[in-house]
Amino acid sequence: MGDKREEGLSALLHETRTFPPTDEMVKRANAGPGIYDEANADPLAFWASQAEYLTWDTPWTETLEWNPPFAKWFVGGKLNVAVNCVDRHVEAGLGARVAFHWEGEPGDTRTITYDDLLKSVCQAANGLTELGVRAGDKVAIYMPMIPETVVAMLACARLGAPHTVVFGGFSSDALRGRILDCDAHFVITADGGYRRGVASPLKAAVDEAVAECPDVEKVLVVQRTGQEVDWSEGRDVWWHDMVSRQPEHHEAEAFDAEHPLYIMYTSGTTAQPKGILHTSGGYLTHVAATHRLIFDIKPEEDVFWTAADIGWVTGHSYIVYGPLANCTTSVMYEGTPDTPARDRWWQIIEKYKVNILYTAPTTIRTFMKWGEDLPAAHDLSSLRLLGSVGEPINPEAWIWYRTHIGREQCPIVDTWWQTETGGILITPLPGITATKPGAAMTPFPGISVDIIDNEGNSVGNDEGGYLVITQPWPGMLRGIWGDDERYKETYWSRFPGKYFAGDGAKRDQDGDIWLLGRVDDVMNISGHRISTTEIEHALVSHPAVAEAAVVGASDATTGQAIVAFVTVKGAGTEGAPDGEEFVAELRDHVAHEIGPIAKPRQIMLTPELPKTRSGKIMRRLLRDVAEHRDLGDVTTLLDPSVVNAIKVRMSDGAEDKE
Ligand code: WTA
């Protein structure tokens, strides 16, 4: 573990208060005191009891079939995920309950009940069928945060057609890569969506992407902004023409518990994002159970808000599948927290009387910067529980969240998980856990984790190590789409028989777990995973660039920030590109290749990159340069003067700051 993480940890451990659950929480919490013992005694029986909350067409015969590293959960069981999220609630007489209070960025709103959702999902399923979508076909979804996005996902689930939702902020190139990788023949999109008052051109990006995807047959387009769009006759279909005229009834088929539900692309340590595959029965069991027990959901009274984008796994599991399986009322918001003003979230909470808020530390730190007067000007007394996800939460942000948003009363659940884990794995449980600011605390019931050293031995308390998961769990990824070898290699080869998460962690003296950040080349920018290699790849694809190295430097608001060191072709010679304009061009190039979230905060043009004698780029050293730290030992360097040259240029202010 690097020095940086150790420093980070001592800062974390400075805050020593613990916050026991209130008496009221102890009394009312869904998770009772015996839950850990029950799950420890028989984890499979525990998960089977959680699966009983779902409605199965055919019961399973075996809870788990484990051929490491391949798992099958609820073997032989059949269910339809969409029926579990919608139909069964309507059949139970709950159709009038609101599924979503939707708030558009410009201020338009929609209220969608479970009755409405059922009608829309059936119509969309009929529409997709008419377009030719069949069970097993992949459907790419590239949408803003509008109700049709949820409807599209559920319609796919209903038909057994795995969806791959691509975050609307990704570029057309990134979209194309994903469409091709999973061989999607259908795309669902919108003309655009609103972000910071501007209509984004989603359809135009799809046109660009699909131009080089010969197998895409149909593009279904929701009208959201009304902006001009190009139209490809025969391929493009308006949602309002096609879906709205469909019958409101659709007979759903039950699929195997292991039928693919979705593929979500995420950054790993190589340039090529990985298609993480999730299936049906185990995944839904996991997200429904964690949603009910961690957020202490009382569906008949609560208003729940996961303030994330559906294009990320947090949106899949805790805006769509978990909450809907539990018949919850959720808020869904299209835009950013600062539009039209910086109190938009607090307005929304006051308006809908939100009880549970789930967001990321980077957003909390942004709110801290904007000041506590904004939340203080609103009535946030409906809130009773707060959640955090995406990166380690620093104690200052934790305490601020509790004090200024939670009125010193709301428990905070800091939830650790990943795209690969499907749902939350490490978290406090309200009503049981006495929380510590900055700690994710305890494996969820039925989950076994360890923290180990390089040799695979468990480390003692207060010693840092690698986080591994030692037993299969129902929401676990079933593989990387189309690449079983990569799945084994990435997650199961470093420590045979154990799932390697890529995170560093530590148990404190009480045995409680603290996450310490990634131990690989994956950065965490505002809670979004981005790989250094992916950005290096994008930079090198620029014709003028010879070589690039990217590091994540710590940043007070976004957690980490992207810093790139770039060597241009013919560096140092007359006419080689240089200067601020060229740096701006490179940043735009990265945005075009991947998306604006991948734009480096700084790009440093340098005649050479520091390398070891064996030719490896010294990233640790570049990170130290990027963070203006002392360099330590550089004797294995090929040419130590390179680093000094970089450092001098950096402190000269030759960097490009946004
Ligand atoms: C990080 C997001 C510390 C971690 C759900 C993980 C966290 C990566 C936490 C997964 C947390 C997520 N504390 N770190 N509570 N939650 N992470 O796939 O490094 O986008 O490996 O899934 O985010 O990011 P992903």
Side-chain angles (χ1 to χ4, degrees):
M1 203 98 351
D3 299 339
K4 183 178 127 218
R5 295 196 174 100
E6 294 296 334
E7 274 165 31
L9 185 74
S10 55
L12 290 177
L13 289 181
H14 208 65
E15 173 64 65
T16 51
R17 277 179 288 173
T18 58
F19 296 88
T22 59
D23 292 346
E24 197 209 335
M25 204 31 117
V26 172
K27 253 184 264 153
R28 61 167 286 162
N30 288 344
I35 194 166
Y36 288 108
D37 288 344
E38 180 204 330
N40 284 339
D42 191 344
L44 291 184
F46 170 77
W47 285 119
S49 73
Q50 295 303 319
E52 299 284 0
Y53 281 86
L54 303 181
T55 301
W56 296 77
D57 277 59
T58 308
W60 63 93
T61 52
E62 206 184 335
T63 305
L64 170 68
E65 191 187 296
W66 181 223
N67 296 311
F70 297 97
K72 286 186 179 161
W73 281 86
F74 309 113
V75 182
K78 286 186 172 194
L79 79 172
N80 185 290
V81 169
V83 167
N84 270 277
C85 289
V86 191
D87 305 44
R88 64 174 181 147
H89 306 317
V90 173
E91 278 157 28
L94 302 171
R97 182 176 297 167
V98 174
F100 290 103
H101 293 292
W102 177 78
E103 181 90 11
E105 195 187 79
D108 49 337
T109 62
R110 284 161 70 184
T111 305
I112 290 139
T113 63
Y114 278 87
D115 275 335
D116 299 332
L117 197 58
L118 179 59
K119 262 192 261 170
S120 306
V121 171
C122 286
Q123 285 189 310
N126 287 321
L128 290 176
T129 305
E130 188 181 316
L131 291 180
V133 177
R134 298 289 174 269
D137 288 346
K138 274 77 66 191
V139 180
I141 299 180
Y142 186 67
M143 299 271 270
M145 284 284 288
I146 55 176
E148 284 81 0
T149 310
V150 179
V151 172
M153 290 165 76
L154 291 170
C156 289
R158 193 176 190 91
L159 296 175
H163 54 69
T164 185
V165 180
V166 179
F167 173 56
F170 276 124
S171 68
S172 58
D173 276 5
L175 174 62
R176 180 190 307 123
R178 287 155 171 78
I179 292 175
L180 291 174
D181 187 78
C182 73
D183 190 29
H185 290 202
F186 303 90
V187 181
I188 307 178
T189 188
D191 49 357
Y194 292 105
R195 219 181 146 69
R196 296 213 164 84
V198 178
S200 60
L202 292 177
K203 171 67 166 62
V206 170
D207 290 340
E208 209 180 310
V210 169
E212 288 163 48
C213 299
D215 292 331
V216 169
E217 296 160 36
K218 296 285 175 195
V219 176
L220 185 58
V221 189
V222 176
Q223 193 167 44
R224 162 70 183 131
T225 57
Q227 66 200 347
E228 280 281 316
V229 290
D230 288 342
W231 207 250
S232 167
E233 283 305 329
R235 185 198 72 187
D236 296 348
V237 181
W238 281 116
W239 177 286
H240 56 262
D241 285 344
M242 144 68 55
V243 174
S244 317
R245 63 172 162 77
Q246 299 293 329
E248 292 174 358
H249 177 79
H250 175 268
E251 201 62 48
E253 185 188 332
F255 293 99
D256 193 273
E258 286 298 335
H259 190 82
L261 178 63
Y262 68 82
I263 302 161
M264 165 111 265
Y265 284 85
T266 188
S267 294
T269 51
T270 64
Q272 178 71 12
K274 300 174 292 211
I276 303 300
L277 172 66
H278 285 293
T279 59
S280 302
Y283 172 79
L284 199 62
T285 298
H286 188 157
V287 296
T290 47
H291 180 249
R292 192 177 62 255
L293 295 166
I294 297 167
F295 299 108
D296 193 41
I297 295 295
K298 307 286 192 278
E300 54 293 339
E301 60 194 50
D302 279 335
V303 178
F304 176 76
W305 185 17
T306 290
D309 195 283
I310 287 184
W312 306 103
V313 76
T314 306
H316 280 50
S317 298
Y318 299 107
I319 297 178
V320 182
Y321 291 112
L324 292 177
N326 290 329
C327 198
T328 308
T329 298
S330 286
V331 164
M332 184 174 165
Y333 170 53
E334 181 184 26
T336 59
D338 54 356
T339 310
R342 289 176 166 181
D343 64 347
R344 185 66 186 268
W345 276 29
W346 318 127
Q347 269 176 16
I348 291 175
I349 289 171
E350 185 170 9
K351 177 172 171 188
Y352 295 107
K353 302 200 167 26
V354 172
N355 304 106
I356 299 143
L357 174 68
Y358 190 32
T359 185
T362 186
T363 316
I364 298 166
R365 289 192 297 265
T366 302
F367 290 137
M368 287 171 77
K369 276 204 296 203
W370 292 348
E372 52 245 33
D373 292 351
L374 293 173
H378 292 272
D379 178 5
L380 306 182
S381 61
S382 57
L383 287 172
R384 66 174 188 84
L385 194 144
L386 303 173
S388 173
V389 61
E391 55 179 311
I393 179 164
N394 49 314
E396 298 73 24
W398 197 103
I399 295 287
W400 190 91
Y401 197 27
R402 185 182 142 88
T403 310
H404 298 290
I405 309 304
R407 310 177 317 284
E408 305 205 15
Q409 284 167 36
C410 299
I412 295 182
V413 289
D414 173 18
T415 63
W416 178 89
W417 58 296
Q418 310 177 295
T419 306
E420 292 87 341
T421 68
I424 297 167
L425 293 194
I426 305 177
T427 177
L429 284 181
I432 300 182
T433 316
T435 53
K436 298 176 183 174
M441 301 300 294
T442 316
F444 186 76
I447 300 296
S448 306
V449 313
D450 200 0
I451 300 171
I452 60 181
D453 63 20
N454 261 321
E455 279 70 54
N457 304 313
S458 303
V459 300
N461 286 352
D462 271 348
E463 284 173 42
Y466 301 107
L467 177 67
V468 290
I469 306 163
T470 54
Q471 296 294 329
W473 65 101
M476 69 188 275
L477 76 165
R478 298 304 196 264
I480 294 177
W481 185 256
D483 201 343
D484 282 349
E485 277 313 306
R486 193 171 172 204
Y487 166 66
K488 289 191 219 165
E489 168 64 32
T490 311
Y491 302 107
W492 301 92
S493 68
R494 175 91 186 253
F495 303 107
K498 298 183 170 97
Y499 172 89
F500 173 54
D503 279 46
K506 181 161 187 155
R507 286 196 188 85
D508 64 18
Q509 284 303 339
D510 305 322
D512 295 319
I513 297 173
W514 299 69
L515 276 308
L516 305 177
R518 300 289 305 194
V519 294
D520 54 15
D521 291 335
V522 173
M523 294 174 291
N524 194 323
I525 315 293
S526 300
H528 295 152
R529 260 167 83 165
I530 305 178
S531 108
T532 54
T533 334
E534 218 175 323
I535 299 174
E536 286 167 5
H537 202 77
L539 283 165
V540 175
S541 76
H542 187 285
V545 173
E547 210 176 13
V550 168
V551 296
S554 36
D555 182 284
T557 306
T558 59
Q560 282 188 304
I562 305 166
V563 179
F565 297 84
V566 169
T567 308
V568 296
K569 291 178 184 156
T573 59
E574 184 116 359
D578 204 344
E580 274 179 31
E581 232 170 79
F582 178 64
V583 165
E585 182 183 323
L586 284 182
R587 296 177 74 242
D588 288 345
H589 178 74
V590 174
H592 182 263
E593 292 292 303
I594 305 173
I597 49 166
K599 265 191 182 184
R601 181 187 69 184
Q602 288 173 258
I603 293 181
M604 180 65 212
L605 298 178
T606 161
E608 263 175 86
L609 292 174
K611 292 186 183 154
T612 61
R613 292 183 195 284
S614 65
K616 274 195 178 163
I617 294 174
M618 300 202 68
R619 287 167 201 288
R620 182 189 62 80
L621 205 125
L622 288 176
R623 199 161 50 227
D624 287 346
V625 171
E627 292 175 350
H628 307 285
R629 269 198 302 267
D630 276 345
L631 296 180
D633 182 19
V634 291
T635 48
T636 51
L637 269 182
L638 191 61
D639 179 3
S641 64
V642 172
V643 183
N644 286 329
I646 292 175
K647 218 186 157 187
V648 168
R649 273 196 80 174
M650 256 192 77
S651 40
D652 275 355
E655 69 238 57
D656 170 65
K657 268 208 182 114
E658 189 145 76

